Each structure stands twice: as structure tokens, then as C-alpha cells.
Amino acid sequence: MDTAVVGLSGTVVGVVGTLATTRLGGTEQRRTQNDQSARQERATAYTKLVTACSRTYRLGYAVHVAVQDTHGRAEASPGVAEASPGVAERLQEFSLAVESAREVVSLVKLHGPEEIARAADNLVSAMSGWYREVAFLAQGEGDVQWAGEAIELYEELEERFIALGREALSRTPVPA
């Protein structure tokens, strides 16, 4: 009887051990899949923001140059220079693109981490500031130097966001 009990106990321990190993393996596999899914969602959010910002930058730069040229002609010959054709429309496109980028920041905030969410906010705030400076220039009330500084700030913050995003996506996830 003792050998039967010992044999049965050994079998039970073996089965329990197998079940525990299977459960731990399944948990680790789910964790790995969740980490991969979260990383992919972050990558998608970051990519959408960078894409929206690139589009906005192109629109903003084109209108910035056009407004700056108009501003320069107006300073050289006050009252003579008129706004370049289409500046108002391009300025409106720039404004809409800034708002689109602002909406994408929500995705970045959702997927984090906090440092990148702040960097995304700062990036779009700088873009908004650049837009305001270009709009002031278009109205003849702005300062060319301030508009230039606004675009430089935006470019600096864009580089920072991209660097933080790359770093976050390349990190090995820490087990929970």
C-alpha cells in the first residue's frame, strides 16, 4: 500500500508541476503579446503625430516664407506691398493642420509614457505659437525674428519628441 500511495503521490506532484509550468508559460506568453501590442499601439500613435507634424511643417513653412517676403516688401516700400496671392488660404490650411496635430496628441497621451505625452504637448504648443507668429506677420503686426525663433523652437521640440519616441520604443519591457 505504501508504494501505491508513494507512486500516486509522485504522479499527482508530476501533474501539478506540469499544470503550473503550463500556466506560467501561458502567463508569460500573454504578457509578451500584451507588451508587443502596447509597443505597436505606441508606435502607431507616435507615427501619426510625426506624420501630422510633418504635414503641418510643410504647410507652415510655405506660408511663413510667403508672409515673410510680403513683410519684407512692406518694410521696403510701406503701403506698396500687398499680401501674396493665396496667403490667407494657406494660413487657414496651416491652422487646420495645427488642430489636426493637436487631436493626434490625444493618442500619444493615451499610450504614454508621461514624458512622451508632455513632449507631444510641448511640440504642438510650439507649433501653435509658430502659427500665431506667422498670422501676426500676415496681419502686418508681427516680428520676423519672433516668427523665426518660433520655428526654431518647434524644430527643436520635434527632434526631442522623435528621440524620446525612439528611445521608448527600443526599450525592453520591464516585467510586471
Side-chain angles (χ1 to χ4, degrees), residues 49 114-124 157 160-161 164:
L49 182 58
E114 184 63 32
E115 183 180 25
I116 292 178
R118 278 193 309 272
D121 260 341
N122 292 340
L123 176 62
V124 175
L157 291 173
R160 177 167 166 64
F161 175 79
L164 287 171

Side-chain angles (χ1 to χ4, degrees), residues 11-172:
T11 303
V12 169
V13 169
V15 168
V16 169
T18 301
L19 290 173
T21 302
T22 302
R23 178 171 170 87
L24 289 175
T27 301
E28 184 60 32
Q29 183 178 10
R30 279 190 302 281
R31 181 179 299 133
T32 300
Q33 288 173 341
N34 288 341
D35 289 345
Q36 289 173 343
S37 177
R39 180 177 285 137
Q40 183 58 46
E41 289 171 352
R42 274 194 307 265
T44 299
Y46 301 169
T47 300
K48 285 182 179 186
L49 182 58
V50 170
T51 301
C53 287
S54 293
R55 177 180 179 274
T56 304
Y57 183 86
R58 286 190 309 275
L59 292 167
Y61 191 80
V63 73
H64 185 146
V65 168
V67 167
Q68 200 169 1
D69 288 347
T70 300
H71 187 77
R73 287 193 312 266
E75 284 184 343
S77 305
V80 174
E82 294 181 16
S84 299
V87 166
E89 291 82 11
R90 288 191 284 177
L91 198 54
Q92 179 64 24
E93 288 176 16
F94 186 18
S95 174
L96 293 172
V98 169
E99 287 309 309
S100 290
R102 186 178 308 285
E103 290 172 8
V104 177
V105 169
S106 315
L107 284 175
V108 175
K109 286 180 176 181
L110 180 65
H111 296 290
E114 184 63 32
E115 183 180 25
I116 292 178
R118 278 193 309 272
D121 260 341
N122 292 340
L123 176 62
V124 175
S125 291
M127 186 183 289
S128 295
W130 176 32
Y131 165 77
R132 280 190 305 275
E133 291 302 325
V134 172
F136 286 148
L137 273 180
Q139 296 167 3
E141 301 171 11
D143 182 288
V144 173
Q145 182 176 347
W146 287 0
E149 290 172 3
I151 193 173
E152 289 173 8
L153 176 62
Y154 166 76
E155 290 168 342
E156 183 180 310
L157 291 173
E158 182 182 41
E159 286 176 20
R160 177 167 166 64
F161 175 79
I162 290 171
L164 287 171
R166 282 184 181 148
E167 181 183 325
L169 293 172
S170 67
R171 278 188 221 134
T172 305

